[in-house]
Amino acid sequence: MRKADLFASLVVFLVALPLCVGVAIASGVPAELGLVTGIVGGLVAGALPGSSLQVSGPAAGLTVLVYEAVQAYGMEALGVLVFGAGLVQLGLGVLRLGRWFRAVSVAVVQGMLAGIGLVLIAGQVYAMGDASTPASGLGKIAGLMSLAGDAEPVALAIGGATVAVLVLWPRWRRGARAVPAPLLAVALVSVVTGVFDVSVRRVEVRGLLDAVRPPSPGDLGRLMEVGVLETVLAFALIASAESLFSAAAVDRLHRGPRTDYDRELIAQGAGNAVCGVLGALPMTAVIVRSAANVQAGARTKASRVLHGVWLLLFTAVLPGMLGVIPVAALAGLLVHAGCKLVPVREVRVLWRGHRGEVVVLGVTAVAIVVGNLFEGVLVGLALAVAKTAWDISHVHVETEDRGDAGLVVRVVGHATFLRLPKLLDALEALPHDRDVRLELGGLRHVDHACAVALEGWAAGRDHGRAATSSSTT
């Protein structure tokens, strides 16, 4: 094992520790379950082939879906949901469908992350103020206006101080390389509140073995419920998409071996299956930890496996240290993470050249905030498909006047029902007292609706003056 991998594993451990706890709290489950998922992400997913340098664990991107699932089905169903999602991922990987996730519209993925980020920010602002959180996404946003009167000022100040450290500390690059900003922010706030005995809500510690709850045979029977199956598919598809898009991003950060998408999907599926057996949170590859791993100089998968070892040792030896962490500090950590999920820079770039993609992104995000994550993604995918169909269905009508020989009309492009009104308007505007020769050789595609319409138009010409040439290609 190289020294670089050992050092990188310690850096990733220090980054992952507060994030694992914060994601668990935001998901409405015991803090220890976040650490269990981080441990499995290192020891199981980290040891398997796929992507050599990206690191897996509980992710902020799934907190909204996990929280909704726990509220709907109870904590006892969490292991079943995660186990089922892992089996789906394993199946997708074995069938070599991992590469197809690259075909998903980037605008939909960015819209998904933006919607998750907005709901996450809105929800965690309440936790920063030790205030009760509304259930729905719209309720969270609407309630922000009255939050100032309900929040605890001290807790809100702690959360704000955490965000300030997360924003300012990375500007000192040498310091940020030595001590990761998430660890510094949470540790600093915990020390200050402990020294001055500040009365704020802190993380509740139950012990690792008490938190782990493997699903029973009766719980597994819930996989036959329609709502449970929908949630399983949502877990699997969103976790897979986030992991594989993270892999593509990590590949751009280093010059080592590229990701095998199908093997990486199998590794994620195996990790989630184990997490499900332990009743823990679902895992994905996490870009924050993965980028820290690469930047710390990691060369092999040993660094990500070791980070799981350090998480296991911490959970076994020093679990009581979690009890000194203010919940407001972890909420501030996730508010900062939620802000990073909103792709502001990408929207600016898209707006300059692809405004239709911005519409897809925005509608997906709004649908997630108004409804839920699964419905929002479906709306985004449907809109992306409709936009693509509209973009490719360009059809042009070119007219050439040959005097006494009449008019030659050429239809060029893709004739689909989306452009049918435009096509018929152009044909019906042709003079009825001239012979017309309709040439369709320039059409690359004609759907059934357009073919029927063209036949009807040709048949309707007065006294059979229209002659058609159906030399389509």
Side-chain angles (χ1 to χ4, degrees), residues 86-468:
L87 293 183
V88 172
Q89 288 181 300
L90 283 169
L92 293 174
V94 170
L95 294 174
R96 302 184 64 79
L97 297 177
R99 67 194 69 185
W100 286 99
F101 280 88
R102 291 180 288 180
V104 177
S105 167
V106 175
V108 174
V109 176
Q110 291 176 337
M112 177 190 75
L113 295 177
I116 292 169
L118 292 173
V119 176
L120 183 61
I121 293 167
Q124 291 307 302
V125 166
Y126 292 89
M128 282 175 61
D130 280 356
S132 58
T133 307
S136 67
L138 282 178
K140 292 182 178 72
I141 294 175
L144 292 176
M145 301 299 295
S146 60
L147 179 60
D150 300 331
E152 293 289 339
V154 175
L156 206 55
I158 290 171
T162 304
V163 174
V165 174
L166 290 168
V167 172
L168 298 175
W169 181 249
R171 296 185 179 182
W172 184 30
R173 294 184 178 180
R174 182 177 298 178
R177 284 196 294 267
V179 182
L183 178 69
L184 177 68
V186 173
L188 189 60
V189 169
S190 300
V191 169
V192 171
T193 55
V195 170
F196 292 97
D197 195 23
V198 179
S199 179
V200 290
R201 189 159 63 98
R202 300 180 187 275
V203 175
E204 297 180 5
V205 181
R206 298 193 314 179
L208 188 62
L209 295 180
D210 293 331
V212 170
R213 186 189 181 280
S216 66
D219 294 332
L220 292 174
R222 301 195 65 180
L223 287 173
M224 297 297 103
E225 298 178 20
V226 175
V228 170
L229 281 175
E230 290 178 352
T231 305
V232 166
L233 289 175
F235 274 13
L237 296 178
I238 292 171
S240 299
E242 189 169 346
S243 295
L244 298 182
F245 276 100
S246 172
V250 172
D251 281 348
R252 291 195 291 267
L253 298 178
H254 66 89
R255 298 181 179 179
R258 305 292 93 178
T259 298
D260 183 317
Y261 286 86
D262 296 315
R263 288 186 175 184
E264 179 62 18
L265 199 52
I266 291 174
Q268 295 294 322
N272 272 320
V274 174
C275 286
V277 170
L278 298 175
L281 290 171
M283 74 166 60
T284 73
V286 186
I287 188 62
V288 175
R289 296 169 214 177
S290 303
N293 189 39
V294 175
Q295 292 164 3
R299 296 290 181 269
T300 68
K301 67 176 65 175
S303 61
R304 59 184 190 174
V305 175
L306 277 176
H307 114 276
V309 174
W310 307 140
L311 286 173
L312 177 61
L313 290 176
F314 174 87
T315 307
V317 178
L318 300 171
M321 289 187 63
L322 298 177
V324 304
I325 301 176
V327 171
L330 296 176
L333 186 69
L334 290 175
V335 165
H336 183 259
C339 291
K340 287 189 171 184
L341 290 176
V342 180
V344 177
R345 293 180 181 177
E346 288 80 356
V347 168
R348 291 175 181 171
V349 174
L350 284 175
W351 185 254
R352 289 196 290 266
H354 304 278
R355 296 189 177 183
E357 294 295 303
V358 177
V359 173
V360 174
L361 189 157
V363 170
T364 303
V366 171
I368 289 172
V369 172
V370 173
N372 58 53
L373 190 58
F374 190 58
E375 293 173 356
V377 171
L378 290 180
V379 169
L381 288 173
L383 185 59
V385 171
K387 174 188 172 296
T388 301
W390 178 264
D391 288 344
I392 66 174
S393 62
H394 291 294
V395 64
H396 303 284
V397 178
E398 302 171 353
T399 304
E400 179 185 350
D401 191 341
R402 294 187 177 179
D404 294 339
L407 302 174
V408 175
V409 178
R410 301 181 182 89
V411 183
V412 180
H414 297 79
T416 70
F417 70 95
L418 295 172
R419 302 289 183 171
L420 186 54
K422 174 184 176 181
L423 176 60
L424 289 179
D425 286 344
L427 294 176
E428 290 170 358
L430 295 172
H432 289 272
D433 58 349
R434 302 286 303 276
D435 288 330
V436 175
R437 178 180 178 81
L438 183 63
E439 295 184 353
L440 306 180
L443 283 176
R444 297 180 179 177
H445 173 75
V446 183
D447 69 6
H448 180 68
C450 283
V452 172
L454 288 171
E455 290 174 1
W457 175 83
R461 291 290 292 180
D462 291 340
H463 308 296
R465 293 192 175 199
T468 63

